Amino acid sequence: MKLINVQIQHFRNIIDSGEVDVDDRVTCLVGKNESGKTSFLHALYRLLPARPNVSFDAPSQYPAWLEKKHRQGGINIDGVEPATAVFKVEPEDQRELDEQFGPGAFISETVTVTRSYSGRHLTSFITDEAKAVAWAISNVSLPKPYSDKKRGLKNFPDLLRMIEKMRHGNESPDSKVKLGASELQKNITAMIGDQDFQHAVQDVLTNQIPRFFYFSEYSSLPYSVNIQELLNTDEGDLEDDELTTLSLLRMAASDDDYLLNPDYELRKRELENVGNALTSDVLQYWSQNPDLRVDMDITKEQITNPQNQSIAVLDELKIRIRDSRHWLTLPFDEHSTGFQWFFSFLAAFSKFEWDKQPLVILLDEPALGLHARAQKDFLRFINERLAVDKRQVIYSTHSPFMIEPDRLERARVVEDHGREVGSTVSSDILTTDTDTLFPLQAALGYDIAQHLFIGARNLVVEGTSDFTYLTVISDYLKEQGRVALDDRWSVLPVGGIDLIPTFVALLGHHLDVTVVIDATKKGHQKLSRLAKEGFLEHQRIIPVGNVIDRPDADIEDLFSVEDYLGLYNQTFSKEIAVQDLQGTDRIVNKIARHEGVDEFDHGRPADILLRNRDRILPKLSTGTLEQFEQLNILINETMISN
């Protein structure tokens, strides 16, 4: 199953996060310090923890300024459900349920899980027990959770006779199913226990619903750990860093022959193998220093047992980092925090990587101690290694280098609005808090700068709406087997027509640059002059009006009137019809004139298209697609082949 929606309520500084949509692969929580990002992840972790050492605790986690007030008001705080998650049933999940209970017995498209402060879980789904019974009857067998693998149905003679009677009786099919549902359930309960149909379904769902694995800087490995204390302590009583160490030890202890072996050489060799394997994994995504290695050792000491015998026992696990570049070794906790974090995460994650249980990985400020380039490497690690198969990733950050500018639809903004409202989480990035927006703005700025000085083929456009329309519709055209923008283009929205000549003047002599421009804008003359002076080597200026043979055209005019009005109406909750618009000028002018305003925010319809692309793009008219395709052709023709 896939996590698709989360809601956190009455947990620390969160009163109601709102319903938070979760990306099917990676979701990024963006917000300043103390905004509620960690609270959100902690609550979600406690809903279905992959580790056994956490639970909800109302006295310490219920919003402090509300607890006494709510208790005095008669609210049963222990019954409050701080975390709710909605999971989508995937096709393979449905197939397994159909095999277990028959087609049509499980009819939910989603499964909802909640957990209260008291620890009570509630899993909500919809079934049709009658269909399960009918399927069992038609197959002369019971659904798998009811069957006895050793004895089979033939060992339930009373039940078998009842099924045969029903199969060959005179009842109509409808009454047969109705009667079967009642009598079959009664016989099942009598013969194999009191587990009812809903519980049997829930047993199957338990293996399909993801667990949550939380990792933060406090989960990192220590330099040394007392082995005896670690192995003799219940996992539910261990701290996060101790659980990470336990995961590391278990990589070297598939059986006691290695970890508990008195032969130092055998024990040491296995620890080296584990250290080498994890270090190799780290270095695939660690560009800072490829000469680092992790050395581990387990010491033993001699003690006297009650029988006055001297015996060897495991003493401590020691972890050091060897730097071949500088010929030195340091205790693990004295090396760079970035490398410590990365290695520790892989050690903790090793317990779950090959597990068949679906997993949602919750990373609290991951890679915070890494250099900007290393953070980019870690983003690649998330996309290539973590968010695959049956795993999703939700991570929090306030670093612009941990945000992917070309995947801003994954971003969720976290803001704390004070005691009255608490912390909220939203996919709407139109926040007024500049501190909250800064990482997103910085990420975009950094991405543009990287493209400016690294991109070999640059397509410069005026603003973000031009960028959105060009790239989103180009991707759709490519899916349809039609002409899209060449993949080698780096599309750069520069923030306004007035800035385009400056960008071109900086880049034109050195890089491959094409400019798409609204035909009548004032920056056009400056660009023409730059072309004459050789800054644009091939005078590659493409007015949008060239596509539709009109001198006064914006990118919005490539849409049919009906298509763009549909975007506008959906964005601003309007019902403007084509016949309501007057004039022959640009579509944005005609709409503004009808609305009685000088202009409207052109970026918001583009944002609606970006967020609802799967629903909107298939409905675009042939004329709209043909005009964007023609623009792609004109742009691609200007590319210099190297």
Side-chain angles (χ1 to χ4, degrees), residues 481-501:
R482 302 176 65 165
V483 179
L485 290 175
D486 192 297
D487 290 336
R488 292 172 291 177
W489 285 119
S490 297
V491 185
L492 305 175
V494 298
I497 187 66
D498 294 335
L499 295 177
I500 290 181

Side-chain angles (χ1 to χ4, degrees), residues 195-446:
Q195 182 187 48
D196 62 17
F197 178 69
Q198 292 291 101
H199 288 156
V201 174
Q202 187 158 326
D203 286 346
V204 177
L205 295 178
T206 297
N207 295 322
Q208 296 179 340
I209 296 173
R211 293 295 182 269
F212 295 96
F213 167 51
Y214 174 85
F215 194 87
S216 72
E217 62 177 321
Y218 300 108
S219 310
S220 294
L221 291 163
Y223 162 56
S224 65
V225 176
N226 186 293
I227 300 297
Q228 289 299 321
E229 289 184 8
L230 185 68
L231 296 179
N232 292 329
T233 303
D234 186 273
E235 288 189 30
D237 297 325
L238 294 177
E239 299 295 331
D240 282 353
D241 61 336
E242 294 172 322
L243 286 171
T244 300
T245 307
L246 191 60
S247 296
L248 179 66
L249 288 175
R250 284 176 173 166
M251 288 187 68
S254 55
D255 55 59
D256 291 348
D257 290 343
Y258 293 115
L259 185 61
L260 303 179
N261 199 290
D263 185 338
Y264 172 81
E265 295 299 329
L266 182 64
R267 190 171 72 250
K268 177 65 173 177
R269 184 169 65 250
E270 183 62 18
L271 286 171
E272 287 177 344
N273 290 340
V274 171
N276 290 338
L278 289 176
T279 303
S280 176
D281 281 347
V282 171
L283 294 180
Q284 287 184 41
Y285 300 92
W286 182 266
S287 59
Q288 307 306 295
N289 182 357
D291 298 314
L292 299 181
R293 298 292 183 272
V294 174
D295 288 340
M296 296 185 294
D297 203 357
I298 295 180
T299 63
K300 282 196 173 187
E301 66 173 346
Q302 296 294 126
I303 65 171
T304 302
N305 66 10
Q307 288 75 38
N308 203 29
Q309 297 172 317
S310 178
I311 60 173
V313 297
L314 294 173
D315 182 21
E316 286 187 312
L317 170 70
K318 301 280 189 181
I319 307 175
R320 298 182 68 85
I321 297 180
R322 180 179 302 277
D323 187 342
S324 302
R325 178 185 298 177
H326 301 102
W327 291 9
L328 61 83
T329 66
L330 289 171
F332 188 78
D333 56 358
E334 292 183 17
H335 212 282
S336 72
T337 56
F339 188 87
Q340 286 182 54
W341 189 96
F342 208 158
F343 186 90
S344 297
F345 172 76
L346 283 174
F349 179 58
S350 66
K351 178 179 179 180
F352 307 102
E353 182 164 17
W354 309 114
D355 200 335
K356 294 181 179 180
Q357 176 80 45
L359 194 69
V360 178
I361 301 169
L362 308 175
L363 301 177
D364 196 356
E365 298 285 358
L368 192 59
L370 301 184
H371 179 270
R373 181 61 63 85
Q375 290 186 11
K376 184 178 180 180
D377 289 340
F378 190 76
L379 278 176
R380 182 165 60 90
F381 173 76
I382 288 176
N383 286 307
E384 294 179 0
R385 181 77 174 270
L386 299 186
V388 295
D389 300 327
K390 296 182 178 181
R391 297 196 295 266
Q392 294 168 266
V393 177
I394 302 175
Y395 71 93
S396 64
T397 190
H398 58 260
S399 168
F401 304 108
M402 285 297 294
I403 297 170
E404 299 175 284
D406 57 342
R407 290 169 171 164
L408 286 183
E409 71 276 7
R410 293 178 169 181
R412 304 292 181 266
V413 176
V414 185
E415 292 184 278
D416 191 347
H417 302 279
R419 289 195 300 271
E420 294 299 319
V421 177
S423 182
T424 62
V425 185
S426 172
S427 59
D428 184 3
I429 61 173
L430 298 177
T431 174
T432 57
D433 185 350
T434 55
D435 288 341
T436 299
L437 276 184
F438 176 75
L440 296 169
Q441 295 168 331
L444 284 172
Y446 177 75

